[in-house]
Amino acid sequence: MEHITELKSLLSIPKDIALITHRNPDGDAIGSSLAMFHFLQHLGHVVKMITPSEYPDFLSWMPGIEQMLVYDEYPDGIKSVLEKANLVICLDFNALDRVDKVGEIVYGLNIPKVLIDHHLDPEPFADYVLSDITASSTSELVYDFIHLLGWQQFLDVRVADCIYTGIITDTGSFKYGTSAKLFRVVANLLELGINDVVLQDLINNNLSEKHLRLLGYCLYHRMEILEEFHTGIITLSKEDYVKFDIQRGDTEGIVNYLLRIPGVKIAAFITEQPTIVKISLRSKGEFSVQEIASQHFKGGGHRNASGGASFIGLRPTVRKFKELLPLYKEKLSAE
Ligand code: 5GP
Ligand code: MN
């Protein structure tokens, strides 16, 4: 990170700091925001956390999450928070359009902006950037950030709990995105006193009966395996949303089940939302779904986890996705 000394001196004087994370925040978005929130409060700052849309219920046990300000619910309040801020820190997203209206407001603010993120190709809107696509999670980068500042005495067990949560959710409990360095970081979090078993239980064993039944429905009635293309697809229609009373977060993680079939290298979860069709893509190994998401579905993300949207309705979107697969057949068969 360039100009860390300059940023350190900015952070040496108490400020009003706004933390911003992406729409539909996941465990890493929330974990990195809360870790930064508690850390900066220890330094004496007044800190506000902002996200465009509601956070998922399964994270409601996290310390401080109730202070998260949701733009969809509180637009005017958030506008004044941002206008009052003298520093903004963006976490777990790489372009201001990933935070909708909040991004527009931030774009117009003439205050120092910090970006901490692990997505490909960050847009150059921030003055201070800590971007590393080899990091498991933005939460891991918050750990690095605290060490770069040399303020690890403020990394207490509460901050460590939040960092661990982001790491667990973004690595699927250490299944992907790991590195030797990550395990060293985690060893350090354990030394700081986190209870990893309790945290894993809080994070992973959180499904409701409704969620499990919906998962069963998706796997039994809505799953299609295209062996030739090493691809699995699950689709949900508007009617399914009504029938199962599906709320935001209820479909979290379903896409990953497709990759449990050894031959499946691409997993697609395609859902009919009120105005768009949302596409969630996952892959195993070298194959990049980021390319499919960015080239064909106005989206992006990571090599093995990406997403995008389509505006042509559910069935045409599924058809479009299937018609793309022959383009990748060679790559898919190669590995
Ligand atoms: P999910 O499938 O869980 O919604 O998203 C997986 C990852 O894909 C996210 O972490 C995010 O990086 C990326 N992603 C999802 N939807 C979009 C989108 O509409 N645009 C972009 N640029 N990235 C997305
Ligand atoms: Mn992340």
Side-chain angles (χ1 to χ4, degrees), residues 26 98 119 278 280-282 298-302 305-309:
D26 55 10
R98 293 279 289 135
H119 295 86
K278 170 91 187 116
S280 271
L281 297 170
R282 300 290 184 272
K298 301 186 168 57
H302 315 267
S306 284

Side-chain angles (χ1 to χ4, degrees), residues 289-300 320 324 327-328:
V289 280
Q290 203 267 342
E291 201 179 307
I292 301 185
S294 60
Q295 288 180 5
H296 304 284
F297 297 104
K298 301 186 168 57
K320 174 177 167 181
L324 289 170
L327 297 176
Y328 299 98

Side-chain angles (χ1 to χ4, degrees), residues 9-293:
S9 54
L10 276 176
L11 290 172
S12 302
I13 303 158
K15 292 203 160 38
D16 283 299
I17 301 180
L19 306 181
I20 298 168
T21 194
H22 59 78
R23 177 166 279 280
N24 302 334
D26 55 10
D28 187 33
I30 299 293
S32 58
S33 295
L34 282 171
M36 195 61 107
F37 175 74
H38 295 299
F39 166 70
L40 293 172
Q41 281 193 333
H42 295 329
L43 292 171
H45 299 289
V46 176
V47 193
K48 307 280 183 192
M49 296 173 291
I50 297 169
T51 174
S53 65
E54 191 55 88
Y55 53 81
D57 269 350
F58 84 95
L59 296 171
S60 57
W61 56 272
M62 291 190 76
I65 195 166
E66 69 290 343
Q67 294 188 57
M68 188 65 97
L69 303 172
V70 179
Y71 187 84
D72 285 350
E73 288 164 10
Y74 191 51
D76 297 336
I78 285 177
K79 200 156 183 278
S80 19
V81 163
L82 286 169
E83 279 161 3
K84 197 169 167 234
N86 19 65
L87 184 83
V88 56
I89 304 181
C90 299
L91 295 153
D92 203 36
F93 64 92
N94 60 356
L96 285 176
D97 64 8
R98 293 279 289 135
V99 289
D100 312 333
K101 196 78 184 65
V102 176
E104 284 174 36
I105 303 171
V106 168
Y107 188 78
L109 294 176
N110 194 15
I111 55 173
K113 300 178 182 99
V114 182
L115 171 68
I116 301 181
D117 182 44
H118 66 134
H119 295 86
L120 274 172
D121 304 327
E123 272 186 6
F125 69 88
D127 307 283
Y128 305 93
V129 179
L130 180 57
S131 155
D132 181 358
I133 62 157
T134 70
S136 65
S137 53
T138 298
S139 299
E140 180 186 343
L141 292 175
V142 170
Y143 177 96
D144 293 349
F145 180 66
I146 294 172
H147 284 75
L148 283 168
L149 291 167
W151 280 334
Q152 44 272 38
Q153 68 272 31
F154 299 107
L155 204 174
D156 63 4
V157 66
R158 186 188 291 211
V159 175
D161 282 345
C162 300
I163 291 175
Y164 185 76
T165 301
I167 291 173
I168 287 301
T169 54
D170 255 26
T171 62
S173 298
F174 304 118
K175 284 196 285 291
Y176 37 83
T178 57
S179 64
K181 182 228 155 192
L182 174 70
F183 286 108
R184 283 190 205 103
V185 167
V186 172
N188 200 251
L189 299 178
L190 289 173
E191 280 165 358
L192 283 166
I194 66 163
N195 190 330
D196 61 322
V197 176
V198 167
L199 288 171
Q200 288 247 24
D201 186 49
L202 284 165
I203 297 162
N204 292 324
N205 300 333
N206 54 43
L207 300 187
S208 62
E209 181 181 340
K210 182 176 107 181
H211 194 137
L212 270 187
R213 289 192 191 283
L214 173 64
L215 173 64
Y217 174 76
C218 287
L219 298 180
Y220 194 77
H221 293 287
R222 287 282 186 251
M223 181 176 86
E224 192 178 352
I225 302 296
L226 307 170
E227 259 176 61
E228 187 187 357
F229 300 110
H230 304 277
T231 296
I233 305 175
I234 292 174
T235 53
L236 282 177
S237 66
K238 256 185 204 161
E239 292 72 35
D240 294 326
Y241 272 78
V242 175
K243 188 170 153 198
F244 286 88
D245 182 30
I246 303 173
Q247 307 295 328
R248 180 166 285 150
D250 289 343
T251 54
E252 193 68 39
I254 291 178
V255 62
N256 295 307
Y257 281 87
L258 294 164
L259 295 178
R260 292 204 175 187
I261 300 177
V264 171
K265 295 177 185 172
I266 303 181
F269 185 58
I270 307 178
T271 57
E272 190 176 16
Q273 308 288 323
T275 55
I276 62 163
V277 174
K278 170 91 187 116
I279 301 158
S280 271
L281 297 170
R282 300 290 184 272
S283 65
K284 251 189 313 221
E286 294 299 312
F287 189 85
S288 172
V289 280
Q290 203 267 342
E291 201 179 307
I292 301 185

